[in-house]
């Protein structure tokens, strides 16, 4: 939809009608959240929720302050619960992901393995469009900042004690159950307008009590994505103004 944006810079006032993209925002929480296993497991749960109305791998998940069906701790998780959640894209067959070229998160053998097995797991083909590092830095990064600020403000004020990823997720599930209107003059948010917030927590690196998990990954919530070396994995990615040769 269109919103009117007013900017003041160096004494000059600029007014324009800016088209804003309405989008859902998914927040993923885990002790270890920077690798391909985390990102692909998280992505697969997002697609599964869109297609079926349930998650599968998350230990706990929330929307609008209520626990989502399918999460592993659904029966024991305190608070109000969704008995059913309507799938928003039940006919979803192909998903396109636009990622930067961060090697640890996206351009690695585990991420490629996850992309290839997505159709067998959830019936959705995935295509990853990989760009150069930091190419997708922009206004959407402020949603992650909002999650961190929500925790920090309440910890500093003494309103909350948050000492692990599970506590952070539960706190934000209530504190950030819905998007807050940032105002038409907030330039950080003018390109994107959040419609719904979702919060998903995974046991990875530590359990729900903050205790370290073993290195075998048998007790965590991540997909096992071990894979052989992928030839020419780094040979192709998009750059500003062009593209390298296709792998």
């Amino acid at each position: 939809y269109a919103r009117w944006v007013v900017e003041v810079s160096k004494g000059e006032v600029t007014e324009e009608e800016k088209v804003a993209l309405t989008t859902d925002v998914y927040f993923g929480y885990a002790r270890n959240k920077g690798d391909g296993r985390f990102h692909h497991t998280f992505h697969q749960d997002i697609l599964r929720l869109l297609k079926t109305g349930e998650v599968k791998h998350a230990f706990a998940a929330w929307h609008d302050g209520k626990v989502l069906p399918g999460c592993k701790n659904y029966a024991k998780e305190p608070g109000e619960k969704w008995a059913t959640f309507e799938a928003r894209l039940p006919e979803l067959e192909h998903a396109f992901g636009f990622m930067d070229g961060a090697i640890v998160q996206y351009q690695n053998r585990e991420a490629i393995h996850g992309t290839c097995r997505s159709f067998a797991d959830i019936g959705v083909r995935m295509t990853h469009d990989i760009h150069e590092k930091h190419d997708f830095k922009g206004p959407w990064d402020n949603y992650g900042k909002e999650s961190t600020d929500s925790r920090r403000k309440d910890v500093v004020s003494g309103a909350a004690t948050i000492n692990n990823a599970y506590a952070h997720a539960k706190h934000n599930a209530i504190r950030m159950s819905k998007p807050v209107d940032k105002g038409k003059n907030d330039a950080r948010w003018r390109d994107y307008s959040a419609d719904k917030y979702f919060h998903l927590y995974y046991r990875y690196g530590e359990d729900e009590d903050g205790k370290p998990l073993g290195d075998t990954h048998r007790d965590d919530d991540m997909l096992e994505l071990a894979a052989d070396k992928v030839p020419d994995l780094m040979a192709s990615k998009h750059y500003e103004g062009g593209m390298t040769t296709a792998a």
Side-chain angles (χ1 to χ4, degrees), residues 25 135-145 188-189 191-192:
V25 180
D135 194 33
F136 287 110
K137 291 291 183 183
W140 49 87
D141 287 309
N142 286 289
Y143 290 114
K145 183 176 183 294
R188 295 181 307 159
W189 305 88
D191 296 321
Y192 294 85

Side-chain angles (χ1 to χ4, degrees), residues 26-75:
Y26 295 82
F27 296 91
Y29 305 81
R31 175 65 179 86
N32 297 342
K33 62 175 184 177
D35 63 9
R37 289 185 73 215
F38 172 81
H39 283 278
H40 186 81
T41 304
F42 184 33
H43 294 162
Q44 194 175 111
D45 260 349
I46 293 172
L47 297 179
R48 187 185 295 274
L49 182 62
L50 289 169
K51 187 176 179 68
T52 70
E54 294 186 355
V55 298
K56 179 179 180 179
H57 304 291
F59 179 76
W62 303 264
H63 168 62
D64 202 15
K66 297 189 289 186
V67 182
L68 285 165
C71 66
K72 295 176 180 177
N73 204 42
Y74 179 84

Side-chain angles (χ1 to χ4, degrees), residues 151-212:
R151 177 196 65 197
R152 183 181 295 117
K153 289 177 181 177
D154 282 358
V155 169
V156 170
S157 68
T161 300
I162 302 173
N163 51 19
N164 58 51
Y166 183 42
H168 186 192
K170 290 196 294 183
H171 171 267
N172 282 0
I174 303 301
R175 189 78 163 78
M176 295 172 52
S177 61
K178 297 180 180 180
V180 177
D181 185 3
K182 297 298 175 181
K184 64 181 181 180
N185 295 330
D186 191 337
R188 295 181 307 159
W189 305 88
R190 67 178 191 167
D191 296 321
Y192 294 85
S193 177
D195 184 37
K196 294 179 175 62
Y197 278 174
F198 297 84
H199 302 270
L200 285 73
Y201 164 73
Y202 298 87
R203 295 172 296 182
Y204 189 28
E206 67 180 16
D207 64 14
E208 65 275 22
D209 297 320
K211 298 177 181 178

